Amino acid sequence: MASSASPLPGPSRLNQPPPAPSTSGDSESTVPQPPAEKGLDVNILKELAKSALVESLNDIQGAKTLILEPALAGPLGLVTEVALLKHQAVDKMFWLEPGPLNVNTRNVVWLCRPKIEYMRTIAEQIKAQQTNPSPAGPLMYTILLVPRATELCRRVLEDQGVAGDVTISEFKLELIPMEDDLLSLEMDDVARDVFLNGDDTPIYYSSLALMTFQRAFGLFPRILGKGDGAKKLADLLQRHHNTDPAQYGDIETSSQVDGLIILDRSVDWITPMLTQLTYEGMLDEFVGIKNSHIEVDSTLLDSNTAPAPSPSALPSTPVTKKRKHHLSSQKDKLYSELRDQNFAVVGSRLSKVARRLEGDYGGVKNLKSVSQMKEFVGKLGGLQSEQQSLRLHTGLTEQLMPITKLDTFNRTLEAQQNLVAGYDPTSQLNTIEDLMNQELDWQTILRTIVLMSLTNGGIKPKLLEAFKRDFLQVYGYQHLPLLINLENLGLLIRSGSGTISAAQNQSITFLRKNLRLIVDDINDLNPNDISYVYSGYAPISLRLVQCLTMKNHLSSSSSSTTQEGQNGNGFATREKPKAHPLNGWKGFEDILSVLPGDNVDVRQHGEKRDNPLVIPDDNKLTTTVVFFLGGCTYTEISALRWMSKQFKGRRFLIATTGIINGNTLIESLGDRPPVQLKQST
Amino acid sequence: MSISSPTATWDTIQNVFYRKEEVYTMSWNVHDLSEYIVAVGKNGGPIAMIRDDRLPLPSSRHSGKPKITLYTSSGLPISSPISWDLNTPILMHLTTSSLVVLSDQGIYRIYDLSNIANYKQYTLGDEVRESGVLDAKAYEDGMVILTRRLEFVEVRGWRGGRGVPLVGAGLTEPPTSWTLLPPDISPTGHIQLLLSTNSTILTLDTLEKIDQRISRAPFSHIRISPNGRFLALLNPNTGILWVVSSDFGRNLSEVNIAEFGEGLPERVEWCGDNAVTLGYGNGKVVLVGPRGESLSWDYPPSAYILGEIDGVRIISSGTCEFVQKVPDCTLAVFSPGSSHPAAILYDALDHFERKSPKADESIRSIRPDLANAVDTCVDAAGREIEVTWQRRLLKAAQFGRAFMDLYNPSDFVTMAQTLKVLNAVRYYEIGIPITYEQYIASSPSTLIVHLVSRNLHLLALRISQHLGLRPDPVLSHWASAKIIRSSQKGVDPSDRGLGDDESVCRAIVEKFEKEGEKGVSYAEIARKAWENGRARLATMLLDHEPRAAEQVPLLLQMKEEKIALEKAVDSGDTDLVYQVLLHLRSTLSPGDFFHILDDSISPKLKPAVNLLQVYARQADRDLLRDFYYQDDRRTESGCLEMEEAGQQEYAEERLEHLKRAAKSFGESKERLFESKMVDDAHRLLTLQQTYERELDHKFSFSGLSVNQFIHKLLLEGFTKRAERVRADWKVPDKRFWWIKLKALAERKDWEGLEGFAKFKKSPIGYEPFVTHLLSLTPPQPTHAASFVPRCDPRLRADLYVQCGDWGKAAESAKERNDRGKLDELRRRAPNGIAQREVDEVIRRVGK
C-alpha cells in the first residue's frame, strides 16, 4: 500500500488492509459461551404463515395446479416445505410467467405479490384458456395475493375482463423467522419504492406485519425511531391500534417486549455502501445470499467427497454443479459461530475446528473398552455433520480469500475507509478514477463515489461531471437515469450546491465525533465494539440503537471499553453489566438534529391502561425489536447480535423489510438493463 | 302452567326418557298450517308463511295475491305482511338475519328481517330462468337449486354471487328426494348432496358423483342428523324407515311405519341425534325410537315440525312445543329413584328446608362426589325451561357448594348469567324459544344478531353488556334503523327532533359516546343515510369515521372526489389511494384528473401523485407521458425516454427515443449535461451502426459502451476506428491504455503489446502490464516478466517473484544492493530450482 507513506497522519488502523485470515489458531483465546438466554419464540409466526397457507388452499375444493411467482419461492420455502403442499391437493406447480397454461386439474391457483404485471399475465392466461377450453371442463381460477388482496389488482383484472371469473383471496405471508433473532418480510427493492418512488406500499405492509406481531406478543410499550419513513410507520401502527378496535382493541401491553426501534434506511445510507467484512456479509457481497440460501458447488455439500472422475469427462474443466444451500444456524452450529465474525479471524477458527475434529477422529485409536467405543460411535453422527459443515465453510472461505487479496479489493476498501474517516477525499477520487479505468464492476464504483458524496457533503461540480462522463463512457449511457436517481435521493450531489450538501457535510463531521463512528483499536477476535464488522467503522444505524439501549457504552471513552476487551481472558469472571431500560432520545437531540427526517418517540397503552414498564432485571429477559425499513445488511445484523451479548436482560430481535447489500441497493435504483439489440433487416 | 313436578312432561320410549314441553300458546289466528308454505328459523327462530295458492281455496277467508307473514315462535306478528308478486315460492328460508324467497323463474329475494320493506333481488342467470327451478334446499350460508333440466346449481353466500354448477348427476327424472349437507357436517368440508333415484343413492358435490349402490331405494325422504353421523331414509313403497350411519356402513335400525298413520308422513325430522320424528298431514306427530317403539301426539288439523340440534319443535295452530330426549344431567337429578349424587343433593336441599336432619346425612353420604353433584345441578338448571326448576336446581348447587372447601364458582355464575339471558328472550313477547344447547352451539353473538334483526335493540344492547360482548353491532344496527325510520315517507324531515339531519346525527353520536364505543362504523351508517337520500346527514356522519378505508368508497359514491383522495392519502393505505385514482381516472376527463393532482394546488396529494407515476409506469405509459408533459417535468420525461430506449429491440427506435430524451433534458436548464450525454449516446449508437454497415455486418457493436466499443474494435484489429472513437469521445490516456492493454492481451498479440509499451511512456506505469498478464487464464508469466524491467526498480523483485522468476528477482535485488530483500527471497523461495537460483545470486554477491 503506497499511501502509508503519506505525510498526513491518517487514521492508523484504517489504512491497513484487512488482515488476511490467518490459519493459525494459536493466538486465539477461548471465550466460554454464556448459556444462551432465550428471547421471544418467534416460530409462532412461522406457524401462522404455514396454517394460513394451508387454510387458503383447503378452501379451494379439489385438485389444484399451483402457479407460483418465482420470487416468492424462496420466502415460501422458509415457512413451509413444498412436500407439504401435496397434502393440500396441489397436483403440479409451475412458475408464473407469460405463456399458455398447461393444466389438467379443475383448479388453477396463482400465488403472487399483488403486482400489475402479474395480473396482466394471469388475465392473458385465463382468456387463452377460455377460448380453448380444457377437456376436463370449466376451470376454477383463484389468485392468492401475498400479503393481501388489493383493489388495484381487482381493477386490473376488471379492465382485462376476467374479474368475474376469478376468486381473489389472500395469503398473509408477513414477517418470516429467518433465525431465532431475525425476522424478515423478504421484500425486494423496498428502499427504491419508498425513498425514490414515494410509493409507501411497503410501509403499509410493514405496519400490518407489525400489528400481527403485536397481536402475538403484545403491544410495544414504546416506539422509537428516526426518519420520515419511520415516522409514517409509527403513525400507521398507532392508527391501526386506535381505529380498528375490532381487530386490535384487545391487545394488551407486552410484558416480553420493551419497545420497537424503527430505523429508516434513509437515515443511514453510508453503512450499506461500505463493503461488509463479516463472514456472512462477505458471502452476501461476493457469492450472494438470497432468502437465506446460497449457491455453492455441489461438491461442497455432498457427504461422499472426492467426486469420482467419470472416465469420459474431460480432465480440464470438471463441470461443477451449483446447488442451493440453506444457511441456518440451527442446522449448522459452525456457521452460527462464524457468520458474525470478522472475516480476518474465520480462517483461524476453521483450522481450530479442523484440528479438534482430527483429534476426535484420532481418538478412535485410543479406544480401550467397549463402552468407550460405544461413546465414540454415539458421537460419530455429530462429528460427521460437523465435518460436513467444516468442508462447506472451508470451501467458501477458499472462494473468498483470493478476492480479499485482489489489489482492486484492497484499494476499494482503503478508499472507503479513508472516506468515512474523512481523510483526503481528493486522493480517494483519484483511486476511484483509477479503479474505473480498470473497469471494476460498476456497482462498487458507484458505492464508493456515493460514499464520497455522502461523507464529503457532495462533490465539486466539475469533478462530479467529469466522473459522470467517464462513468457513462466506461459502463454505458443507460446508467444516466440511475445517476439522476442517486442525485434525487441526495446520494450523489454537487457540493456547495444547496442546503443538502452543506447539511450533509456538517452532519458527518459531527457524527464522526459524537457517535464515535471511527474506532481505531478493534480486536477482531474478541470485538470490543460493533465497529469490528467494518474493521473500524461503526454503522450510524446501530450507534442510534446504542443511544437508546447502551447509553453508557456509547458515551464512555474508547479506552475503558478497550480495557474491557483486553481483559478478554478474564471475560468469564466478569459479570455482564445489566441492560438499562429503554431510553428515549433525551440527551441525543443534537445527534438527531443533524440526521435527516422526523423523530419518533411514542408510548402505547393497552385497553386496561395499566402499563407495567418492562424493566430488564436479573431474572427477566426483555426483547427490543429493531425494525429496518428499507432493508439492513448482514453486518448490521451481526452488530446487533454482538450488542445482545453485551448485557444481561436484553435481547435484540431484528426485523427488516429485507436483507440488502450495497450492490442490490444500487442496482434497484436503476432501470432494467437494456435489451439486446436486434439486427434490423 | 301448573308446576307439579319436573317429570310431569316425561315419557319413555323403550326406557329412554323423552319430554315434551309446551313452550308457548300461540297468539296468532292461523287455523290450518297445511294451507301454507311454512319456513321456520333454526335455534328458536321466527316463522314465515305464505298461503299456498296452488291449493284449492277452502273458503272465502283468503282472497287476492297471497302475502308472506312473519311470526315469532309464540305466534306474534313481527312485521306487516310482505306482498309477493312472483309465482308461488319454491323455497322460503330463514337465516339468522334474513328471509330468502326463491321463485320458479330463478329469481330470489333476500329480505332484511329488521327492515322487511327493503329487499335485494337477484337472478340465477338466463339458463336457470329458461329451464325453471324445480326445487331448492338452503342452509345458513347458501342454497342449492335443482333446475327443471335436472342440473344442480350451488349459490354460495347471499350476496348475489354467480351460481356454480355441481357435477352432472346424469338424472333422467327428478330425484325422489334429496338433501343438502352443509359444509359443517359434510365429510369434505364443502357442501354435498345426497339424492335418491329410483334405484340408488348418489352423493354429489362440485367435484364428483358417487353412486352409493343402495338397492333399497327409492326413498321419499332423506334426512341427516344434526351431528352429520346418521341418515334417516324412508322408502315409500315398503314403508320402512331406515336409519344408517351417514357412510352407509352401519345399519342402525329399520322400522316399518305403516302402523303409525295413514299414508306417508309429509315431513321427517330428526329429534336431536337420537330419534326420528314423522309429521303427518292430518296433524299427527310420531316420535320413533330405534326399535320401532313410538310416542305420538295429535294436533288437528295440522302441525309443522322442525328438527333442532337437540330436539324437535312442533308448531301447530294452538301451541309451540318442544320435544327432546331428557338430557343426562336432568335425568341424573330427576329420574325416579335416581341415586346419583346430584339427586341426593337436590333431596338434601329439600330436607334442609324442612329442617330435617336427613339433610346432613345425605350430604355426608355424597361428600366425595359433591363437586360432581354441584356441577350436575348447575348443568341441569340450564336444561330447564321453567324458571322454578332453574332456581331450585341452582339453589341445590349453591347448597352443595357450602360444604366444599374449594369450589370454582365460575361455572355457576356463567350459568346464572346465561339463564337470565335465555329467560329474557324466551319471554313470549320476544318469542325466541332457544334452548341452552342451541344457544351454546350457535354462540351468543348469533343470538344478538337474531335480536337485532327483530329490532330489539335495547334488549340486544343490555344482553351484550351483560355478557361482556362488544356492543358495536347492536349500536350500528340501531343507528341504521333510526335513519331508515326517520327517512320514511310521511315523516317531515323538517320535523324537529324526529327527522332533521342535525338531531339524528347528534342522537347517534351521543348514543355511541354514551356506550363508550369506538368500534362502530360510522361509514356504514352514513351509507345507510346516503342510500336513504340523506346526503347531508351522510357527510355529517362520515366526519366521525376514523377509518379512511370505510370513508372513501362512500365519498366517491357521493362524488366528493377530492376529499376522498385526501382521506385515502391520510390513511397511509396505498391501495386505497389507487382505488380512488383509478376511479377518478375512469370517471373524469384527463384535464380534470390532472387538475386534481396538481401538487402546486394541493401539496397534500404528493403521495397520490407518486403512486400515479408508479402505476402509470407499469400500466399506462401514455398517461405518464401526458402527465409529465403537462406538469413540465422534463427530467422525468427524459428518464422515461431513456428507459424506453433501453427496451427497444431495434436501433432505429432506440435512436428515436434517445433523441426525444435529449430534447426533454435540453428543455431544462438544469439538465444540459444530461442532454449532452444523451446526445453522446445517440452519436455512439449511430457510429456503431455505421461501422457495422461498413464492415458488412460481420461484427456487432451496437449497444456497447464507449469502453467496450473501443475494446472490441481493438480486439478485432480495427485500430484506426478505435483511435477515432477515442478521439471523438476524448477518452483520457490512462483509460485508453488500460483498454488497449486488455484488448491486446486478449488477442494474445504479444508483439503488438510490446510495441504498444514501447510506443511511448505508459501513463499507467508498467506494473499493470505485469499484473494483468498474470491475471489472465491461463496466466502469462513469461510475457509478464518481459515488462518488469520497465517497472519501478523497488517493485521489480516482487514482480519477478509473482512471475515465478526467482533468479531475476534476486538479480534485481542485487542490483539495488538490497541484502535484506535477498535474504527474504531466500527464505520464501520454494525448494528446488528457485532456491538454487537465489543462492547462486547470493553467492555472487558474497564474492
Side-chain angles (χ1 to χ4, degrees), chain A residues 614-664:
Chain A
V614 188
I615 297 166
D617 61 40
D618 285 345
N619 314 315
K620 219 169 136 203
L621 187 65
T622 181
T623 299
T624 306
V625 182
V626 179
F627 186 84
F628 288 91
L629 179 64
C632 69
T633 58
Y634 278 109
T635 39
E636 287 172 307
I637 294 167
S638 294
L640 273 164
R641 284 185 181 137
W642 180 86
M643 282 159 64
S644 281
K645 290 192 195 121
Q646 299 315 302
F647 292 103
K648 277 206 303 193
R650 168 173 288 122
R651 283 286 161 280
F652 289 100
L653 176 62
I654 306 139
T656 177
T657 51
I659 293 168
I660 59 163
N661 63 42
N663 287 6
T664 55

Side-chain angles (χ1 to χ4, degrees), chain B residues 6 48 79 146 196 319 353 565 644 774 809 838:
Chain B
S79 69
L146 172 60
S196 164
T319 56
E353 283 174 346
L565 192 54
E644 300 210 328
L774 287 173
V838 178

Side-chain angles (χ1 to χ4, degrees), chain A residues 239-285:
Chain A
R239 198 185 174 102
H240 289 311
H241 181 228
N242 293 335
T243 61
D244 202 349
Q247 269 211 74
Y248 306 119
D250 51 357
I251 305 180
E252 289 305 329
T253 311
S254 179
S255 58
Q256 300 162 281
V257 180
D258 69 345
L260 167 72
I261 301 173
I262 308 172
L263 293 173
D264 150 344
R265 194 71 271 171
S266 68
V267 172
D268 175 16
W269 292 111
I270 291 180
T271 301
M273 295 304 158
L274 289 155
T275 305
Q276 305 177 68
L277 295 178
T278 57
Y279 180 52
E280 199 168 21
M282 293 270 285
L283 285 177
D284 189 32
E285 297 264 357

Side-chain angles (χ1 to χ4, degrees), chain A residues 58-63 106-107 114-117 120 138 140 148-153 155-156 159 163-165 193-194 196-205 207 232 236 239-246 249-250 406-407 430 433-434 436-440 464-485 487-488 494 607 671-681, chain B residues 154 156 162 164-165 167 188 190-191 205-207 470 472 517-520 545-548 551 567 570-576 578-579 582-583 586 606-607 610-611 614-615 617-621 635-636 638-639 642-643 645-652 654 665 670-671 673-678 680-682 684-685 689 692 697 699-700 702-708 711 729-732 734-735 738-739 742 764:
Chain A
N58 277 344
D59 280 347
I60 304 160
Q61 196 180 3
R106 183 182 147 87
N107 288 290
K115 289 189 181 160
I116 296 172
E117 47 171 313
R120 295 188 153 181
M140 306 289 287
R148 71 165 182 155
T150 64
E151 206 51 43
L152 179 62
C153 288
R155 280 296 291 256
V156 174
D159 290 347
D165 304 298
D193 291 349
V194 173
L196 182 65
N197 293 341
D199 174 359
D200 290 343
T201 309
I203 304 187
Y204 196 74
Y205 288 169
S207 75
K232 284 182 194 165
L236 274 175
R239 198 185 174 102
H240 289 311
H241 181 228
N242 293 335
T243 61
D244 202 349
D250 51 357
L406 285 178
D407 183 44
N430 290 336
E433 280 285 340
D434 224 34
M436 194 153 63
N437 286 339
Q438 300 184 43
E439 298 185 34
L440 190 62
L464 182 59
E465 209 155 276
F467 167 81
K468 284 183 180 172
R469 187 191 310 269
D470 282 343
F471 182 83
L472 294 172
Q473 285 190 9
V474 176
Y475 301 105
Y477 290 103
Q478 73 272 14
H479 291 295
L480 184 67
L482 170 56
L483 296 178
I484 293 176
N485 290 343
E487 179 187 331
N488 289 341
R494 283 174 292 185
E607 195 98 289
D671 291 335
R672 285 172 293 173
V675 297
Q676 190 72 39
L677 276 173
K678 283 184 182 164
Q679 204 63 259
S680 52
T681 43
Chain B
E154 181 192 356
R156 215 176 293 175
R162 186 183 290 210
V164 179
V167 148
T188 57
H190 301 272
I191 66 129
D205 59 20
T206 46
L207 291 182
R470 301 194 72 88
D472 41 297
E517 197 36 63
K518 299 190 289 185
V520 179
E545 172 62 57
R547 278 160 300 184
Q551 293 172 307
K567 296 270 186 199
D570 276 351
S571 76
D573 180 352
T574 44
D575 190 41
L576 204 55
Y578 278 130
Q579 207 177 323
L582 294 178
H583 177 88
S586 59
K606 181 105 186 9
N610 292 338
L611 287 176
V614 171
Y615 165 79
R617 184 174 286 272
Q618 300 169 70
D620 197 343
R621 293 261 168 167
T635 305
E636 280 90 339
C639 288
M642 281 298 283
E643 195 211 333
Q647 300 308 311
Q648 302 305 318
E649 291 181 322
Y650 294 102
E652 296 74 34
R654 189 172 285 186
F665 285 129
E670 306 284 301
R671 295 293 174 198
F673 169 75
E674 280 77 6
S675 177
K676 173 76 179 43
M677 288 298 107
V678 183
D680 283 356
H682 189 273
L684 180 66
L685 186 52
Q689 291 273 299
E692 283 179 7
H697 298 286
F699 305 97
S700 119
S702 299
L704 299 179
S705 73
V706 174
N707 261 36
Q708 293 163 330
H711 180 91
W729 268 267
K730 300 191 181 70
V731 174
K734 280 190 184 177
R735 176 138 55 88
W738 268 105
I739 301 172
K742 287 183 179 173
I764 53 173

Side-chain angles (χ1 to χ4, degrees), chain B residues 589-642:
Chain B
S589 73
D592 290 345
F593 180 56
F594 289 142
H595 184 73
I596 284 194
L597 290 172
D598 190 338
D599 55 359
S600 57
I601 305 174
S602 21
K604 265 183 78 181
L605 296 182
K606 181 105 186 9
V609 177
N610 292 338
L611 287 176
L612 178 72
Q613 292 174 60
V614 171
Y615 165 79
R617 184 174 286 272
Q618 300 169 70
D620 197 343
R621 293 261 168 167
D622 290 336
L623 175 73
L624 191 59
R625 244 186 290 278
D626 290 351
F627 175 71
Y628 286 157
Y629 184 77
Q630 66 84 40
D631 211 34
D632 280 338
R633 297 177 184 232
R634 300 295 181 243
T635 305
E636 280 90 339
S637 296
C639 288
L640 185 64
E641 294 296 344
M642 281 298 283

